[in-house]
Amino acid sequence: RFQEAVEDYSRSLDISPENIKTHNNRGYSFAKLGKYKEAISDYDRVISMDPKNAHAFHNRGISFDKLGEFEKAVVDFTRVIELDDTNANVFFNRGSAYDSLGEFDKAIADYTHALELDMASGAVTQQR
């Protein structure tokens, strides 16, 4: 299903190469296929066209995290927080990246903040 989506989005981009939504959606489809480098390329394109696109920064951060590039993930998650500091998932994801880097105090601070933003998140409670 996601492979078909990538093919459809690619055809669409042949017609309209500057379509931000299509790049973002193709990037998401690549990520679901485990093709994180390709996803990052699409998110890079989105960010170059819309430098305040928090969704693209968040998804690119997740892709960096999946590739083990935790420092880059932290940078992207921090950028999302600068754009919108109300998203518990971003704090959780940045906390996870900090955890992977061995920066446990920062990880706990982010997990705690994520929990404060979304008290219903069992994943945050478990990780903390």
Side-chain angles (χ1 to χ4, degrees):
R1 180 175 138 208
F2 287 108
Q3 184 58 46
E4 291 174 15
V6 166
E7 293 165 9
D8 289 344
Y9 290 132
S10 295
R11 281 191 293 276
S12 179
L13 288 168
D14 287 340
I15 297 166
S16 181
E18 301 300 315
N19 189 306
I20 289 173
K21 186 174 181 179
T22 303
H23 277 287
N24 205 42
N25 290 343
R26 186 175 71 173
Y28 178 81
S29 297
F30 274 132
K32 292 305 264 183
L33 292 169
K35 296 180 177 182
Y36 301 111
K37 290 182 181 180
E38 292 89 341
I40 289 167
S41 179
D42 272 329
Y43 298 137
D44 285 345
R45 185 75 176 123
V46 172
I47 291 165
S48 74
M49 292 185 284
D50 181 6
K52 293 186 179 183
N53 190 309
H55 190 70
F57 276 107
H58 191 196
N59 286 340
R60 188 175 73 174
I62 291 168
S63 292
F64 280 135
D65 189 84
K66 295 287 188 182
L67 290 172
E69 297 183 37
F70 304 116
E71 295 90 356
K72 290 180 180 180
V74 166
V75 169
D76 277 356
F77 296 142
T78 299
R79 181 65 179 132
V80 176
I81 291 166
E82 291 168 354
L83 294 168
D84 175 13
D85 65 357
T86 64
N87 186 329
N89 290 328
V90 178
F91 280 96
F92 177 82
N93 289 335
R94 188 175 72 173
S96 179
Y98 278 137
D99 192 12
S100 296
L101 290 168
E103 296 186 39
F104 303 118
D105 289 341
K106 291 179 180 180
I108 290 170
D110 275 353
Y111 290 143
T112 300
H113 195 73
L115 184 59
E116 290 167 355
L117 289 171
D118 185 3
M119 294 299 286
S121 178
V124 173
T125 303
Q126 179 183 7
Q127 190 69 18
R128 185 173 181 270

